């Protein structure tokens, strides 16, 4: 019941953009991100060079998705996906995700007991849905497992690979502050 309840009240659909941004990017998280960037500089540089995604954006992705690995979800992925596949609202989507999750288990990347994530089945420190995992997760440390749950090199490389495959342009900048013209309707922000 809790999974279905959360599916109906996703914060992305109930908050304004401003409220959402205040929630996901408070100054404390920005500060923590700068610290994590320094702490992981070597592996981030290596991953950045390979995938063309700047280190600060890999860390931002990590920070927004899971507060740098601190909040990865408390739901067992298989039962959550099975519930949503049965629920009916988006059953086709979640049934497909369930089969991808079972494939991940079969390949031995993680045990069913350890496969914990969000109520919607998003997993690990990069919060990949199972289909994203099968398409973009990377075994960067070469241990034979794509471990987006506990292995930072795999987490960072997987996030960078995801962004790269979706057309990330490392030679372009975005997200710059702008100055609005005098008299601009602030309600539109």
């Amino acid at each position: 019941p809790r999974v279905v309840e959360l599916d109906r009240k996703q914060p992305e659909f109930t908050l304004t953009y401003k409220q959402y941004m205040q929630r996901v990017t408070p100054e404390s998280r920005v500060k923590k991100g700068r610290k994590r960037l320094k702490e992981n500089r070597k592996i981030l540089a290596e991953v950045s060079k390979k995938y063309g995604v700047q280190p600060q954006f890999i860390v931002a992705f990590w920070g927004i998705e899971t507060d740098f690995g601190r909040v990865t979800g408390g739901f067992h992925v298989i039962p959550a996906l099975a519930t949503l596949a049965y629920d009916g609202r988006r059953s086709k989507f979640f049934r497909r995700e369930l089969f991808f999750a079972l494939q991940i288990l079969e390949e031995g990347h993680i045990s069913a007991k350890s496969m914990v994530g969000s109520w919607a089945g998003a997993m690990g420190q990069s919060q990949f849905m199972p289909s994203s995992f099968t398409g973009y997760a990377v075994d960067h440390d070469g241990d034979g497992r794509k471990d987006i749950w506990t292995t930072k090199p795999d987490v960072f490389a997987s996030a960078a690979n995801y962004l790269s495959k979706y057309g990330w342009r490392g030679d372009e900048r975005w997200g710059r502050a702008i100055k609005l013209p005098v008299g601009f309707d602030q309600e539109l922000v």
Side-chain angles (χ1 to χ4, degrees):
R2 181 73 175 135
V3 168
V4 173
E5 177 188 341
L6 290 168
D7 182 47
R8 303 293 190 269
K9 296 180 181 174
Q10 296 178 49
E12 292 85 353
F13 302 127
T14 60
L15 301 174
T16 67
Y17 175 75
K18 188 174 184 177
Q19 290 169 329
Y20 182 75
M21 290 305 292
Q22 287 171 340
R23 179 184 283 185
V24 299
T25 61
E27 186 57 37
S28 60
R29 185 169 286 159
V30 172
K31 203 176 203 181
K32 197 177 197 181
R34 289 184 178 121
K35 183 178 178 189
R36 297 295 183 270
L37 182 64
K38 287 178 186 172
E39 291 171 355
N40 296 284
R41 186 175 309 280
K42 184 178 177 189
I43 187 64
L44 287 164
E46 184 181 305
V47 167
S48 177
K49 184 176 181 183
K50 183 171 183 176
Y51 296 99
V53 179
Q54 303 94 318
Q56 66 269 30
F57 296 116
I58 298 168
V59 171
F61 184 105
W62 183 39
I64 288 171
E65 289 298 330
T66 62
D67 195 24
F68 313 101
R70 188 181 68 80
V71 182
T72 58
F75 292 86
H76 289 280
V77 170
I78 300 299
L81 290 173
T83 298
L84 292 166
Y86 177 79
D87 177 51
R89 192 168 80 84
R90 295 183 290 164
S91 60
K92 185 177 179 181
F93 170 78
F94 286 110
R95 189 176 310 114
R96 181 174 176 264
E97 294 299 327
L98 176 60
F99 283 110
F100 278 120
L102 293 170
Q103 177 184 334
I104 293 163
L105 293 175
E106 188 173 291
E107 291 173 357
H109 298 291
I110 194 163
S111 70
K113 182 181 177 184
S114 297
M115 187 186 254
V116 176
S118 78
W119 58 267
M123 311 173 300
Q125 294 187 42
S126 50
Q127 288 294 281
F128 278 2
M129 290 300 290
S131 60
S132 294
F133 180 97
T134 60
Y136 307 105
V138 174
D139 174 19
H140 190 79
D141 67 357
D143 69 353
R145 292 176 45 243
K146 298 173 184 175
D147 181 6
I148 62 169
W149 294 269
T150 63
T151 305
K152 283 187 203 173
D154 290 3
V155 171
F156 299 155
S158 297
N161 185 45
Y162 177 86
L163 292 170
S164 178
K165 294 275 174 71
Y166 265 95
W168 186 268
R169 297 276 315 262
D171 60 340
E172 293 181 357
R173 292 187 51 116
W174 65 273
R176 295 180 188 192
I178 60 165
K179 188 173 184 176
L180 296 172
V182 175
F184 186 86
D185 183 359
Q186 293 294 316
E187 293 296 315
L188 297 173
V189 177

